[in-house]
Amino acid sequence: PKLDGLAVLRTRIPEGKQGAPGGKLSAIVMAAARPPRARLEVLTPFGTPAATLLLAEGLFQAYDPFANRVMQAPLDSPRVTEMLGAIPLPMTQVPSLLRGAVALEPGEVTEAKVPAVLPVTPGELGTPETVLVEVRRDGKVVQQVSVHAEGGYPLADIHVDPATGRTTVEATYSDYGGVGTPPVAFPQKVLVRVHDEAGQEAASVEVRLSAIEIDPALGEEAFRLVFHRPPEVQEL
């Protein structure tokens, strides 16, 4: 399945920590597909492309059209993190996240029903019945995913340090709406938080999606960089 749409990203980095400026907003046209591939066009205030980020075939590529330069590296390269700042998720997870999907870590998978919680007072929000999917390695929990029991869509994805039981990364999926015909439940807001060794929030990225289209007519060139003239290529 493929997906395209418009996105706004908000990053928050606590004062004093290295990374992108807190509260930064970017307008982005995005496309994502399976096998995991993603393309993000960062727009200028005038709506013209300011940069293209491509994640495909295990490679990260960033194209600067003004300098006609491509910077590239393997998706898991630490140089990618250095260039983008303290974005709290691996680049390999971005395509799945943009499709509203959750990738399970390797390990033993179990499922258990969690009953709904009704609101106690007027105006208070309850919680729906969910299915808790847990992944364990060597008997210790490394990931917990909450799935809406009736709808079958993810609500939260928590990654855990098995040695300490500390939450390291938490993603929440919300503002679901029906997309396509027949309608498919799709999150229009994804919030990812990363926690430091003290358990404090170290950074977050919020993605708000709009104009979502499921299975658009995307050719394979959508996940390749095409140039009018050969660019300078810089290996990171």
Side-chain angles (χ1 to χ4, degrees):
K2 300 174 182 177
L3 173 144
D4 69 0
L6 302 176
V8 174
L9 273 67
R10 183 189 299 272
T11 64
R12 292 191 182 277
I13 310 297
E15 187 176 353
K17 289 186 177 291
Q18 182 179 0
K24 182 178 180 181
L25 289 170
S26 299
I28 291 176
V29 178
M30 50 143 284
R34 189 173 60 188
R37 294 165 292 169
R39 181 185 182 115
L40 297 93
E41 299 278 356
V42 183
L43 305 180
T44 69
F46 301 103
T48 56
T52 301
L53 303 180
L54 186 66
L55 290 71
E57 300 180 352
L59 196 66
F60 169 88
Q61 294 178 292
Y63 176 55
D64 178 352
F66 302 107
N68 196 34
R69 180 187 303 118
V70 175
M71 293 177 286
Q72 63 184 32
L75 280 177
D76 57 359
S77 169
R79 292 286 291 123
V80 175
T81 304
E82 291 173 13
M83 185 179 74
L84 295 179
I87 293 181
L89 70 164
M91 287 294 103
T92 53
Q93 295 183 14
V94 170
S96 295
L97 183 145
L98 293 177
R99 290 190 301 107
V102 173
L104 293 181
E105 294 195 17
E108 178 186 353
V109 179
T110 61
E111 296 184 7
K113 282 281 184 75
V114 179
V117 176
L118 299 177
V120 177
T121 58
E124 183 181 28
L125 295 177
T127 60
E129 182 183 39
T130 59
V131 175
L132 179 64
V133 180
E134 290 191 326
V135 181
R136 287 180 171 83
R137 286 201 297 268
D138 299 324
K140 296 184 178 181
V141 174
V142 296
Q143 185 179 13
Q144 294 179 319
V145 181
S146 295
V147 179
H148 193 286
E150 182 178 357
Y153 47 82
L155 300 173
D157 176 19
I158 297 173
H159 294 256
V160 179
D161 180 348
T164 63
R166 174 181 60 86
T167 296
T168 56
V169 178
E170 178 182 7
T172 56
Y173 302 79
S174 59
D175 294 3
Y176 273 88
V179 178
T181 306
V184 175
F186 198 89
Q188 296 174 78
K189 177 181 174 182
V190 181
L191 176 62
V192 182
R193 295 186 177 97
V194 65
H195 299 268
D196 59 23
E197 294 182 357
Q200 300 298 313
E201 184 177 313
S204 69
V205 172
E206 178 185 299
V207 184
R208 289 189 175 270
L209 300 167
S210 61
I212 303 166
E213 184 179 355
I214 302 291
D215 279 338
L218 293 177
E220 288 304 308
E221 66 276 4
F223 300 102
R224 294 198 304 264
L225 292 178
V226 179
F227 312 102
H228 296 296
R229 56 191 175 92
E232 173 192 349
V233 178
Q234 179 181 343
E235 300 289 342
L236 296 177

